[in-house]
Amino acid sequence: MVLAMRLTTKGRYAVTAMLDLALHAQRGPVSLADISERQGISLSYLEQLFAKLRRGNLVSSVRGPGGGYQLSREMEGIQVAQVIDAVNESVDATKCQGLGDCHAGDTCLTHHLWCDLSQQIHEFLSGISLSDLVTRREVQEVAQRQDLRRCNSNGRTQRLDKIETSAVE
């Protein structure tokens, strides 16, 4: 049996967008259009996600020129599991989406094992903050590459300051 671990696109995109926001937070509010361009997530999808993230008190919006979104609290206080929960998603290792109807409408022999695994994954993600991700060297390298690509695609060739340095300080 192949175990199909499910973290939906919605959950993945929400975490990706929140990490992008955390990486660029030191520059002030971040527009969804900028996140969309850097991460390849449609603007309309980001709008839906950020409405849920705002209701979950993870982000706040700033209106007007130079407006956008900012984290509602320090990135150390925002856990990956909170982001996934805020968009009403879960990490599910069961075949039945946790319903317990996995074996001819009844609970299968391994149902509780997979439920326990799902809980362990949630607990693991509860122990990882946006700050933990921002400080990872490989995350910083990817973010810098994305910023350089965006800068070059806009017809500019100047090099952006390293976002990771100010994001970590």
Side-chain angles (χ1 to χ4, degrees):
M1 175 180 144
V2 175
L3 177 63
M5 190 67 60
R6 287 182 298 275
L7 173 59
T8 65
T9 300
K10 188 188 300 184
R12 288 180 192 274
Y13 281 176
V15 172
T16 299
M18 286 291 286
L19 182 54
D20 185 285
L21 182 60
L23 284 161
H24 296 89
Q26 77 281 357
R27 296 187 187 140
V30 178
S31 76
L32 293 183
D34 287 346
I35 295 172
S36 173
E37 185 177 341
R38 280 189 296 266
Q39 302 308 324
I41 304 170
S42 81
L43 185 57
S44 62
Y45 199 73
L46 283 171
E47 288 168 349
Q48 294 171 34
L49 290 176
F50 273 74
K52 291 181 178 190
L53 294 167
R54 192 174 56 245
R55 282 192 297 273
N57 296 315
L58 297 177
V59 298
S60 58
S61 60
V62 177
R63 296 180 185 263
Y69 283 88
Q70 57 193 17
L71 299 175
S72 294
R73 54 185 178 266
E74 296 297 318
M75 63 179 98
E76 294 82 7
I78 300 176
Q79 310 305 314
V80 172
Q82 291 174 314
V83 175
I84 294 169
D85 292 343
V87 295
N88 303 318
E89 292 301 308
S90 64
V91 179
D92 183 16
T94 66
K95 189 176 178 182
C96 63
Q97 289 82 44
L99 298 174
D101 59 357
C102 24
H103 185 72
D106 217 351
T107 304
C108 70
L109 283 174
T110 55
H111 176 80
H112 298 289
L113 171 68
W114 304 133
C115 285
D116 290 347
L117 176 59
S118 297
Q119 182 60 37
Q120 289 291 320
I121 293 169
H122 191 272
E123 289 173 16
F124 171 75
L125 295 176
S126 292
I128 301 173
S129 70
L130 289 179
S131 177
D132 294 332
L133 295 174
V134 165
T135 59
R136 291 183 64 157
R137 180 182 49 79
E138 58 273 12
V139 170
Q140 296 169 10
E141 290 170 357
V142 170
Q144 185 177 13
R145 184 185 71 233
Q146 289 174 338
D147 280 348
L148 287 171
R149 183 179 309 132
R150 179 172 180 248
C151 191
N152 290 334
S153 72
N154 288 337
R156 299 182 306 229
T157 57
Q158 77 269 19
R159 189 159 196 253
L160 296 175
D161 292 334
K162 292 181 108 180
I163 60 173
E164 64 270 20
T165 302
S166 55
V168 172
E169 294 174 348

